[in-house]
Amino acid sequence: MTRVFNDPSNFALEAVSGMATAYPQYVKAVHGGVVRATASPDGQVAVIVGGGSGHFPAFAGWVGPGMAHGAVCGNIFASPSASQAYSVAKAADNGGGIIITYGNYAGDVLHFGQAAERLRAEGYDVRTIEVSDDVASGPRDDTRKRRGVAGDVVVFKIAGAAAERGHTIDEVTELAWRANDRTRSLGVAFDGCTLPGAAEPLFHVPAGQMSVGLGVHGEPGVYEVPMGTASQIADLLVDGVMAEALEIGTEGYSGRAIVLLNGLGTVKCEELYVVWNRVAERLTDAGVTPVLPEVGELMTSLDMAGISLTITFLDDELEELWCDPVDTIALRRGAVAERAERQVSDDTDQAETPITPGSEASQALAAQVVKGLEVIKQVTIDNEAELGKLDAIAGDGDHGQGMRYGATGAVEAAHRAAEAGAGAGTLLVRAGAQWSESAGGTSGALWGAILTAFGRALGDETPASPQAIVTGVRDAVDAVQRLGGATVGDKTMVDALIPFADTLSAKQAEGVPLAEAWQQATTAAQSAADRTADFVSKLGRSRVLGEKSLGVPDPGATSFCMLMRALGDADLFASETN
Amino acid sequence: MTRVFNDPSNFALEAVSGMATAYPQYVKAVHGGVVRATASPDGQVAVIVGGGSGHFPAFAGWVGPGMAHGAVCGNIFASPSASQAYSVAKAADNGGGIIITYGNYAGDVLHFGQAAERLRAEGYDVRTIEVSDDVASGPRDDTRKRRGVAGDVVVFKIAGAAAERGHTIDEVTELAWRANDRTRSLGVAFDGCTLPGAAEPLFHVPAGQMSVGLGVHGEPGVYEVPMGTASQIADLLVDGVMAEALEIGTEGYSGRAIVLLNGLGTVKCEELYVVWNRVAERLTDAGVTPVLPEVGELMTSLDMAGISLTITFLDDELEELWCDPVDTIALRRGAVAERAERQVSDDTDQAETPITPGSEASQALAAQVVKGLEVIKQVTIDNEAELGKLDAIAGDGDHGQGMRYGATGAVEAAHRAAEAGAGAGTLLVRAGAQWSESAGGTSGALWGAILTAFGRALGDETPASPQAIVTGVRDAVDAVQRLGGATVGDKTMVDALIPFADTLSAKQAEGVPLAEAWQQATTAAQSAADRTADFVSKLGRSRVLGEKSLGVPDPGATSFCMLMRALGDADLFASETN
């Protein structure tokens, strides 16, 4: 809904004033609307656009070189008065005649028509062009009686570009009508819009339905159908518009088209892009080539949820005008000089480099590593739910899932590497990269770094030795600290990693067999992890949890201890490593 | 809510693909995101931006000359993986070193950091810059630990412009950090956002409240306050950001600033412009001059309802880089050559031209006209509710109100004109202009045209005569037809106007006294108006009313007959007009 306003009855006027203050390089406020902030050549045809407010960027967002010379801004969804139109037209006039163009709605036709009469009485050469692109609003054999929707963008841009090129008012008028007559639009709505200050939307579309052909002020649609997927919506819109497509060759139609995919208010750009994929596909199939299409908010209806598709079937002259430079608040084209295309190879990083086999000893160690990774995978499967629950208390609850995804991916990568004869080092680096890729998130990155650093320490030549394993653990812990930036006491997995690595190397230096040293390191890590829980319980995490005080250990420290214990219990540290 | 998608789990990828298809002149899709479609000079520093999706135009919307060379696009609200970042960076590299910049979030820091390590291991010179502009997310004395929000736009634009100017990687890095360290943001949210496919928003803000400092993924806010007016929201945001303003003179701070007013998803541009008025006012009071501010959607969170304010306290070097040309999907600057300012006089049409007094006879007629307008005003007051009810059945229910507004305004204008000695013609033209202005809408325009055309027929010299009045009526009917484009049978007020004018002129030609001719004309008009009701009843207005079939006459025809009858009954047609 529309939530932000001061006095609802003054909303449209305040919005225009704010626009002129924010973008003084584009527009100046005058009575009734805005005119260009920049000078136009004497004798240039002035293109005046306008209508009710609530449709941004329509109408003031299109004022500037290459498009409109002035915009008449009525109240929300209400036609401006004739005196507003008269005032804006007078302020925008360059002595070359005035074109007033607007969507074909009764109120607009009357008020702009009246302004035109008044201006003519004063000697101006004035033409009016009523945009009528909405296929849902009238029969195919009388298109000029239809109402105007996002086709405004096309007609205004063509007229503005023609004026900019110095065409006469007769020529600009003919081109604008030609653009209008070759433009078709169709929209669907999923929910209504709310006027500033109103408690309820102007109208509703039943939940789970979409209304086809609904107008930009809530005028009734043609029919309702169940809400579709993005691709189904694209099909519906393409079918509706293409039913009136020009035939190739008709009056110069070349198979090229302006295509606009418009969000009416609360359908976001990402959603429109998803729809666009299918629109582009369908148009390609139909032999229609889009020329500088636009996907985004082009003609809104406050916060209406809806999408519209507009297609203009081009001839060469209209295409050139559509591509001409334009510089307005909402539509800009021709910035920066043209540049060559960048050549990008298709497979930047997809093909893995081939594996150089490791030494026999390192391959044997690699086999042990694979077993270790299988153990890790099984632990993450068995404890996914528990880790998820732990993480959900203070986080987003995806730690268990992330660990399982990561370990599963790592095991697969490790098997592939082992089959190719990888040494322990390369195998762990490949497994680490895949863990990170499969898991995503923070824990994915950290476990990726752990495996990678451990692998680099082992290398592909050295046989297993307690010293190599201890060095690998130490390097892995360093990598986590470097990457995550955490130190002991930050209540992260580092709180468990450091005592693990410290105990392991101290015991190994004392001559304790690796399997036993590992058990003692695990115990030290677990006790540190338990203290993170104690800490969280005492302090709470006020910035994240507000007032809650939770007796939960850090999920990353907890899962680390689980995995180290399982590795210790798995009898992997065969005598030859001691 | 987010309604339009195919497979929710594939949403982000489909959106990026659609963007690349829609705007092939800007971006090319590669593994992990997009790179520029245009070539960059060899040796130019490559600026890579990125993060989770759902924040359009962040991040792929900023790829192009003058800004980013590539964007890494994660899943919705999720950090991209290190391999995605690695792949995009490799594809975007120009041999001048790589800057990877992103908002300061744990997952992004980890994955982008890991990609940087991998690239460095391959010999690339890589720097990372974590944007940290959100004042709500950390203490003032440790700003680089804060999270990044719309300040991304500033840092990425500055870095991109510096790279474009050919600066070295050391220089670009220093400038980007400088921009970050001088940038502050604060946001408020009014309602949560919905992930594609989810039935419920990620979070809710209690109704009637706004959450201050809420993060772009729903991270908890600092506190909640009751929902404010647009100006109160502006005050809150300006106060929050300006609390950390640099002092004039600090490190080259000139009192000039980049100012961004950002809509987070479903706050529309018009609402932002209303807020902007107050932001601009407050900044002016504080001695801060905005430099090319931006008001619109700069960093969204799907369909979150919220607003954020970003201010970068500029020095001269940063200001130049901010103003440099840029050409991306979402930010374009420098289109079309610079132009001179247009000179617009302040009072285009506000001062009425002085009235030249009419002849004595016309002034007498003008006095009669004023009486007639008073009668009309009274009829509209007495029948406002009835006309409104009639109009509400098939229209928007404002016909009664519009007629009262118009007639009241017309009477006031008529009195002013009469006091200035206006003849009947000028008085009616002034009254007609005011009717249209006061009433707005269709009926306002038509009644404005009726009075104006009638006035032009009477002129300011001619005394009253039946012939003049009949001609005036005929001209008025012509004006309505010309303006509205309706003919008899279209079921508009024209159906009543034509028989009225025809009967009046026929009877007058037969020598029937004007008063009597007027009565007969009214009867003919009423009978025609009744037939519009009959017609509506038989056919229904299927396009507008669907299946409803209504026995209601056209409101415009009905009110016209009411007014003509009242004028006839008012004994205004004194003997001298016969």
Side-chain angles (χ1 to χ4, degrees):
Chain A
M1 64 179 292
T2 305
R3 292 177 174 85
V4 182
F5 47 82
N6 291 311
D7 171 5
S9 69
N10 211 28
F11 181 83
L13 206 61
E14 286 186 50
V16 172
S17 147
M19 194 188 304
T21 317
Y23 295 100
Q25 72 272 41
Y26 287 107
V27 294
K28 283 191 181 194
V30 295
H31 170 67
V34 302
V35 297
R36 277 192 203 176
T38 48
S40 305
D42 281 348
Q44 185 171 94
V45 172
V47 176
I48 310 300
V49 303
S53 291
H55 302 297
F56 186 88
F59 293 92
W62 296 323
V63 172
M67 208 158 168
H69 294 77
V72 192
C73 307
N75 224 315
I76 296 289
F77 290 0
S79 162
S81 72
S83 101
Q84 286 183 284
Y86 171 88
S87 154
V88 171
K90 290 261 279 196
D93 173 58
N94 307 308
I98 297 168
I99 289 180
I100 311 184
T101 174
Y102 44 88
N104 186 35
Y105 295 89
D108 293 301
V109 171
L110 290 173
H111 287 281
F112 286 117
Q114 212 170 31
E117 293 244 335
R118 189 170 160 199
L119 289 161
R120 282 182 200 120
E122 294 181 18
Y124 293 92
D125 187 351
V126 185
R127 320 292 174 90
T128 67
I129 292 154
E130 293 77 29
V131 179
S132 56
D133 54 311
D134 185 2
V135 302
S137 60
R140 189 172 174 170
D141 56 5
D142 201 2
T143 56
R144 286 202 182 174
K145 286 209 173 157
R146 291 170 168 176
R147 64 195 175 204
V149 286
D152 279 358
V153 183
V154 174
V155 176
F156 300 173
K157 169 74 174 76
I158 297 288
E164 203 70 38
R165 287 185 172 212
H167 287 314
T168 65
I169 191 165
D170 284 338
E171 291 163 346
V172 178
T173 304
E174 188 277 319
L175 284 159
W177 275 119
R178 201 197 305 171
N180 177 66
D181 292 343
R182 298 168 82 103
T183 300
R184 301 287 186 277
S185 296
L186 178 64
V188 288
F190 318 121
D191 203 4
C193 50
T194 312
L195 295 172
E200 277 297 309
L202 267 184
F203 63 92
H204 279 294
V205 176
Q209 298 283 107
M210 51 189 189
S211 177
V212 183
L214 193 132
V216 291
H217 315 95
E219 298 90 339
V222 179
Y223 58 91
E224 280 169 9
V225 292
M227 181 70 195
T229 63
S231 293
Q232 287 166 342
I233 293 168
D235 283 342
L236 186 154
L237 294 175
V238 171
D239 288 342
V241 174
M242 288 298 292
E244 299 197 9
L246 297 192
E247 280 171 38
I248 300 277
T250 309
E251 310 158 70
Y253 171 51
S254 54
R256 297 168 66 79
I258 300 169
V259 188
L260 313 175
L261 189 66
N262 172 46
L264 281 153
T266 54
V267 175
K268 305 312 305 168
C269 277
E270 282 102 340
E271 297 172 272
L272 294 173
Y273 287 129
V274 173
V275 175
W276 177 260
N277 283 314
R278 179 71 180 159
V279 171
E281 209 175 281
R282 287 291 310 276
L283 291 180
T284 301
D285 290 349
V288 176
T289 305
V291 176
L292 297 185
E294 293 284 339
V295 179
E297 296 194 345
L298 304 163
M299 162 71 83
T300 61
S301 292
L302 291 172
D303 61 326
M304 188 193 292
I307 298 181
S308 71
L309 175 69
T310 298
I311 301 182
T312 304
F313 301 92
L314 288 169
D315 61 26
D316 293 344
E317 195 173 7
L318 292 176
E319 178 168 340
E320 278 186 26
L321 293 166
W322 174 247
C323 297
D324 268 1
V326 57
D327 192 23
T328 67
I329 293 174
L331 189 63
R332 301 178 198 171
R333 184 170 295 159
V336 190
E338 287 213 10
R339 304 201 177 195
E341 191 181 342
R342 183 180 184 91
Q343 298 307 320
V344 181
S345 71
D346 277 345
D347 46 5
T348 325
D349 183 40
Q350 294 319 284
E352 290 196 329
T353 47
I355 283 174
T356 310
S359 71
E360 208 171 308
S362 187
Q363 287 192 19
L365 180 55
Q368 286 295 92
V369 170
V370 172
K371 282 187 198 159
L373 289 170
E374 293 274 13
V375 169
I376 286 176
K377 174 183 163 187
Q378 193 57 47
V379 174
T380 62
I381 292 173
D382 294 345
N383 294 279
E384 179 179 353
E386 188 189 336
L387 290 172
K389 237 188 296 183
L390 202 61
D391 185 41
I393 299 168
D396 52 5
D398 65 355
H399 183 63
Q401 191 187 67
M403 291 295 288
R404 177 169 67 82
Y405 283 178
T408 304
V411 166
E412 284 165 14
H415 278 296
R416 282 198 303 274
E419 279 160 26
T426 293
L427 183 138
L428 274 162
V429 168
R430 293 287 169 103
Q434 192 58 50
W435 187 310
S436 174
E437 184 75 11
S438 298
T442 306
S443 73
L446 294 176
W447 276 95
I450 287 172
L451 269 52
T452 303
F454 197 67
R456 291 216 171 112
L458 293 183
D460 290 334
E461 298 299 326
T462 329
S465 80
Q467 184 52 51
I469 296 209
V470 169
T471 305
V473 167
R474 175 61 66 199
D475 286 4
V477 172
D478 287 351
V480 168
Q481 284 202 281
R482 201 170 54 239
L483 196 57
T487 50
V488 170
D490 286 353
K491 307 303 147 192
T492 68
M493 75 186 291
V494 168
D495 286 8
L497 259 59
I498 299 280
F500 184 87
D502 287 351
T503 307
L504 191 68
S505 48
K507 294 293 161 193
Q508 195 267 333
E510 290 168 19
V512 177
L514 185 58
E516 202 183 316
W518 193 276
Q519 298 282 11
Q520 291 180 22
T522 303
T523 306
Q526 185 67 58
S527 138
D530 290 346
R531 282 199 300 277
T532 72
D534 193 41
F535 176 88
V536 171
S537 169
K538 282 194 192 119
L539 285 192
R541 291 181 170 177
S542 59
R543 274 220 48 78
V544 178
L545 297 170
E547 294 306 302
K548 287 179 216 158
S549 175
L550 301 164
V552 292
D554 178 77
T558 304
S559 58
F560 174 77
C561 294
M562 271 182 191
L563 295 180
M564 293 309 105
R565 172 160 306 113
L567 288 175
D569 293 348
D571 198 22
L572 291 164
F573 304 102
S575 56
E576 70 259 57
T577 63
N578 283 288
Chain B
M1 62 179 293
T2 305
R3 292 178 174 84
V4 182
F5 47 83
N6 292 310
D7 173 3
S9 70
N10 210 29
F11 181 84
L13 205 62
E14 286 187 51
V16 172
S17 146
M19 196 188 302
T21 319
Y23 296 100
Q25 71 273 39
Y26 286 107
V27 294
K28 282 192 182 190
V30 295
H31 171 67
V34 302
V35 296
R36 278 193 203 175
T38 49
S40 305
D42 281 348
Q44 184 170 95
V45 173
V47 176
I48 310 301
V49 303
S53 291
H55 301 295
F56 186 85
F59 294 92
W62 297 323
V63 172
M67 211 158 166
H69 294 76
V72 193
C73 307
N75 224 315
I76 295 290
F77 291 179
S79 163
S81 72
S83 99
Q84 286 185 285
Y86 171 88
S87 153
V88 171
K90 291 261 278 194
D93 173 59
N94 308 308
I98 296 169
I99 289 181
I100 311 185
T101 175
Y102 43 90
N104 186 35
Y105 294 89
D108 293 301
V109 170
L110 291 172
H111 287 281
F112 286 118
Q114 214 169 31
E117 294 241 335
R118 187 167 162 200
L119 290 162
R120 282 183 200 120
E122 295 182 18
Y124 293 93
D125 187 353
V126 185
R127 319 293 172 89
T128 67
I129 290 154
E130 293 77 28
V131 180
S132 56
D133 54 313
D134 186 1
V135 301
S137 61
R140 190 174 174 169
D141 56 6
D142 201 4
T143 55
R144 285 202 183 172
K145 287 211 172 152
R146 291 169 168 177
R147 66 195 172 203
V149 285
D152 280 357
V153 184
V154 173
V155 177
F156 301 172
K157 169 73 174 76
I158 297 287
E164 202 71 39
R165 285 183 173 214
H167 287 312
T168 66
I169 190 164
D170 284 338
E171 291 164 344
V172 177
T173 304
E174 188 277 318
L175 284 159
W177 276 120
R178 201 197 304 172
N180 178 65
D181 293 342
R182 298 168 81 103
T183 300
R184 300 288 184 278
S185 296
L186 178 64
V188 289
F190 318 122
D191 204 3
C193 51
T194 311
L195 296 171
E200 276 299 307
L202 267 186
F203 63 94
H204 277 294
V205 176
Q209 299 284 106
M210 51 189 189
S211 177
V212 182
L214 193 132
V216 291
H217 317 94
E219 298 92 339
V222 179
Y223 58 93
E224 280 170 6
V225 292
M227 181 69 196
T229 63
S231 293
Q232 287 165 343
I233 293 168
D235 284 341
L236 187 153
L237 294 174
V238 171
D239 288 342
V241 175
M242 288 298 292
E244 298 197 12
L246 298 193
E247 279 169 40
I248 299 281
T250 310
E251 308 158 70
Y253 172 51
S254 53
R256 296 167 68 80
I258 300 168
V259 187
L260 313 175
L261 190 66
N262 173 46
L264 280 153
T266 54
V267 175
K268 305 312 302 167
C269 277
E270 281 101 339
E271 296 172 275
L272 294 173
Y273 286 129
V274 172
V275 174
W276 176 261
N277 283 313
R278 179 70 181 162
V279 170
E281 210 175 279
R282 287 290 312 276
L283 292 179
T284 301
D285 290 350
V288 176
T289 307
V291 176
L292 296 184
E294 292 285 340
V295 179
E297 296 193 345
L298 304 163
M299 162 71 83
T300 59
S301 293
L302 291 172
D303 61 328
M304 189 193 292
I307 299 181
S308 70
L309 175 69
T310 298
I311 302 183
T312 304
F313 301 92
L314 289 169
D315 60 24
D316 293 345
E317 195 173 7
L318 293 176
E319 177 167 340
E320 276 185 27
L321 292 165
W322 174 247
C323 297
D324 268 2
V326 57
D327 192 23
T328 68
I329 293 174
L331 188 63
R332 300 178 199 173
R333 185 171 292 160
V336 188
E338 286 213 10
R339 303 202 177 193
E341 190 182 343
R342 183 181 185 91
Q343 298 308 320
V344 180
S345 70
D346 277 346
D347 45 8
T348 325
D349 185 41
Q350 294 319 288
E352 288 196 327
T353 47
I355 283 174
T356 310
S359 72
E360 207 171 311
S362 186
Q363 287 193 22
L365 178 56
Q368 285 293 92
V369 169
V370 172
K371 283 188 196 160
L373 288 170
E374 293 276 11
V375 168
I376 285 175
K377 174 183 162 187
Q378 194 56 47
V379 173
T380 63
I381 291 173
D382 295 344
N383 294 279
E384 179 179 351
E386 187 189 335
L387 290 173
K389 235 186 304 184
L390 201 62
D391 185 39
I393 300 169
D396 52 5
D398 66 355
H399 183 63
Q401 191 187 68
M403 290 295 286
R404 177 169 65 82
Y405 283 178
T408 305
V411 165
E412 281 164 18
H415 277 296
R416 281 198 302 275
E419 276 159 30
T426 293
L427 183 139
L428 274 163
V429 168
R430 293 289 169 100
Q434 192 57 51
W435 187 310
S436 171
E437 184 73 11
S438 299
T442 307
S443 72
L446 295 176
W447 276 95
I450 288 173
L451 267 51
T452 302
F454 196 67
R456 290 214 173 114
L458 292 185
D460 289 334
E461 298 299 326
T462 329
S465 78
Q467 183 52 49
I469 296 209
V470 168
T471 305
V473 167
R474 175 59 66 200
D475 284 3
V477 171
D478 286 351
V480 168
Q481 281 202 283
R482 201 168 56 236
L483 196 57
T487 50
V488 170
D490 286 351
K491 308 305 149 194
T492 68
M493 74 186 288
V494 169
D495 287 7
L497 259 60
I498 300 280
F500 183 87
D502 287 351
T503 308
L504 190 69
S505 49
K507 292 297 160 189
Q508 193 266 336
E510 291 168 17
V512 177
L514 184 58
E516 200 183 317
W518 193 276
Q519 298 284 9
Q520 293 181 21
T522 302
T523 305
Q526 186 66 58
S527 136
D530 292 346
R531 280 198 302 276
T532 73
D534 191 41
F535 176 87
V536 171
S537 168
K538 283 193 188 119
L539 285 193
R541 290 177 170 185
S542 59
R543 273 217 49 79
V544 178
L545 296 170
E547 295 305 304
K548 289 178 215 158
S549 178
L550 299 163
V552 291
D554 178 77
T558 304
S559 57
F560 174 77
C561 294
M562 269 181 194
L563 296 180
M564 294 309 106
R565 172 160 303 111
L567 288 175
D569 290 350
D571 199 21
L572 291 165
F573 305 101
S575 57
E576 71 258 59
T577 62
N578 283 288

